């Protein structure tokens, strides 16, 4: 058995890779193709991060009506990770100051006061920067899932990997 981890930020492409048999299974962050057999693993919060001296840093929660009031540091794949949906659901266009493809570079920019950013809670554990991580006043969540093209046709190794992953998440991430 060979296990190879392939990173594909584009959720549509990731689904195509699984459906096309390029990979046996995949992890998904947003709504997935109904043709896939998918199992939710966990939910996580999406959090706004700001510098400690940001005008909103003193608040308990990030106000939804402030999404377009401050410079925003977007990530290249925001539309594939559930983050863009936060803006779209409110008909808001953020003041995008920078578009990044490196999470830690974006965090460093936020820590220097160049804008705010939105990241998943799992990514914000043990970060090396002084940042204020804030839930939104209307909590934003996304589901992380694992899926395959067909449980009936996938290999026993793939089935075991999915089973093991589901058990591991249940024990270690709740």
């Amino acid at each position: 058995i060979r296990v190879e981890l392939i990173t594909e930020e584009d959720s549509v492409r990731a689904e195509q890779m699984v459906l096309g048999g390029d990979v046996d299974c995949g992890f998904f962050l947003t709504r997935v193709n109904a043709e896939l057999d998918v199992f939710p693993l966990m939910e996580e919060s999406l959090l706004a991060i700001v510098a400690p001296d940001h005008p909103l840093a003193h608040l308990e929660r990030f106000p939804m009506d402030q999404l377009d009031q401050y410079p925003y540091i977007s990530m290249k794949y925001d539309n594939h990770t559930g983050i863009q949906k936060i803006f779209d659901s409110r008909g808001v266009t953020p003041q995008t100051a920078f578009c990044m493809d490196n999470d830690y570079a974006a965090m460093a920019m936020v820590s220097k006061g160049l804008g705010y950013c939105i990241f998943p809670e799992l990514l914000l554990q043990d970060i090396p920067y002084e940042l204020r991580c804030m839930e939104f006043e209307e909590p934003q969540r996304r589901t992380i899932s694992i899926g395959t093209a067909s449980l009936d046709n996938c290999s026993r190794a793939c089935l075991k990997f999915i089973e093991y992953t589901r058990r591991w998440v249940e024990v270690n991430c709740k």
Side-chain angles (χ1 to χ4, degrees):
I1 295 173
R2 184 179 72 142
V3 176
E4 182 179 351
L5 179 64
I6 299 171
T7 303
E8 177 54 64
E9 298 288 340
D10 183 330
S11 57
V12 173
R13 174 73 185 120
E15 291 174 9
Q16 290 171 344
M17 290 172 71
V18 173
L19 285 170
D22 298 324
V23 296
D24 293 323
C25 63
F27 293 96
F28 303 100
L29 300 173
T30 55
R31 198 179 119 247
V32 296
N33 189 312
E35 295 177 44
L36 294 170
D37 287 334
V38 178
F39 303 93
L41 294 172
M42 65 180 292
E43 280 195 0
E44 71 173 333
S45 293
L46 296 172
L47 305 174
I49 62 168
V50 297
D53 60 351
H54 188 279
L56 300 178
H58 71 283
L59 298 176
E60 186 176 328
R61 295 179 184 269
F62 194 99
M64 300 306 283
D65 65 356
Q66 298 294 301
L67 287 168
D68 60 352
Q69 300 302 305
Y70 296 94
Y72 175 65
I73 300 172
S74 71
M75 299 306 297
K76 186 176 179 182
Y77 294 102
D78 275 358
N79 56 331
H80 298 291
T81 60
I83 292 171
Q84 184 61 41
K85 187 169 70 170
I86 295 171
F87 299 107
D88 293 345
S89 68
R90 281 159 188 74
V92 170
T93 301
Q95 294 182 31
T96 303
F98 303 95
C99 183
M100 306 295 297
D101 65 357
N102 182 290
D103 298 330
Y104 289 97
M107 287 180 205
M109 294 172 79
V110 169
S111 75
K112 299 299 181 189
L114 298 175
Y116 79 96
C117 201
I118 301 173
F119 281 115
E121 143 182 62
L122 288 176
L123 183 64
L124 295 171
Q125 297 176 7
D126 303 319
I127 53 176
Y129 303 102
E130 189 175 344
L131 298 169
R132 170 93 163 86
C133 300
M134 305 172 71
E135 275 207 38
F136 289 94
E137 66 185 2
E138 298 169 22
Q140 303 297 307
R141 301 185 60 75
R142 71 179 186 184
T143 301
I144 300 172
S145 303
I146 189 169
T148 187
S150 168
L151 281 177
D152 295 331
N153 297 324
C154 71
S155 69
R156 287 192 348 218
C158 181
L159 286 173
K160 281 295 182 191
F161 179 78
I162 291 171
E163 176 187 327
Y164 174 79
T165 301
R166 293 175 72 190
R167 261 197 336 256
W168 188 91
V169 169
E170 189 175 303
V171 169
N172 293 289
C173 297
K174 304 277 175 161

